[in-house]
Amino acid sequence: MTLLAATPEELSRLATDNGFPAFRGRQLFGWLHKRAETDPAAMTNLPIAFRDLVACAGPVVPANVGVTLRSADGTRKLEIALGDGARVETVLIPEGPRLTQCVSTQVGCAVGCAFCRSGRAGLKRNLTAAEIVAQVHVARALYDPGESLRNVVFMGVGEPLHNLQGTLRALEILEHPDGLDLSSRRVTVSTVGIPRGIARLGEATRGEAALAVSLHAADDATRAALVPGAGASLAEIVEAIAAYPLPKHRRCTIEYILIKSVNDRDADARRLVRLLASIKVKINLLPLNPHDSTKLEPPEDGRVASFQQVLLDKGLSAFIRRRRGEDINAACGQLLAAESR
Ligand code: SAH
Ligand code: SF4
């Protein structure tokens, strides 16, 4: 295991196995995650022999930043080069001084949604937990003065629940109180809706992980056309959401990309209301980001507003989400898999 994905307990074991007291391992975890120090030589309160051990364990961060692009609205996109030459992307989105970071979980994606660039070339491989955590690490160098990381969304390239092991471990590390200490409610896993994966995420995090489900359709035929590799019916997905053990007063988020003449009619909105009648949700409506690998288009603004109104009239919380970083292709769904360049 790479150091960046190791828990304090595992680092303590590394220490004791090599004749150092266990607390050295916990100190190392603090250096790595609280202080973002990755150079063993700079870990000044650790004995030199322990720093040597850390240095011998291999590169601490298994990723480098390649190209970085900055949008007029402050959004930053970072291309991340992994050890085997694969590339993924991560995006920093500012809201005042608070940053939301969108991280990738796979190189490519097997689901192949009709509107998404990331899945165009299929799946190449899962990211390791260390490669997921590394995205957060390397992006720290791009914070502006006064900015701090507030939210992490697993909404970059890949389907997190197809990489459950990497995702769960990354959540554990990012939320650890001795490290970055991100609040679990501020770390969102976005999935296309894999019932068994949702159940396992719920068990492993006791429902603490914030859950977003990308539905994009209210009937199975439209869903199959838009999200071909999902493998579960809408009814099964809704059942999995209902069973997810979210703490009281927290709701699952439903992501719904609005696509002109495909899923944007008032009748679709009414169907969505019926589909979601048994669960407590918040709905994010995202007008499609047009790009050159899809012919699909966003609806006119009036259509978007009308769709939202149907949901609001039925008492659902529904928000229209602005696109960010469009000028640098950084908005969600604009992230490219390396192979498709
Ligand atoms: N695979 C997971 C994780 C995020 S995928 C999932 O599908 O939920 C990338 C995100 O970008 C998803 O939320 C998807 O809905 C959104 N997205 C992809 N292509 C898009 C497009 N052309 N316009 C708007 N959003 C898009
Ligand atoms: Fe994969 Fe998500 Fe893109 Fe669909 S939207 S292809 S699930 S990354």
Side-chain angles (χ1 to χ4, degrees), residues 115-116 154-156 158-160 190-191 214 216 257 288-289 291 332-333:
F115 45 79
C116 177
F154 285 59
M155 240 181 235
E159 167 49 49
S190 176
T191 173
S214 301
H216 313 315
I257 297 181
L288 175 105
N289 288 325
H291 54 80
C332 281

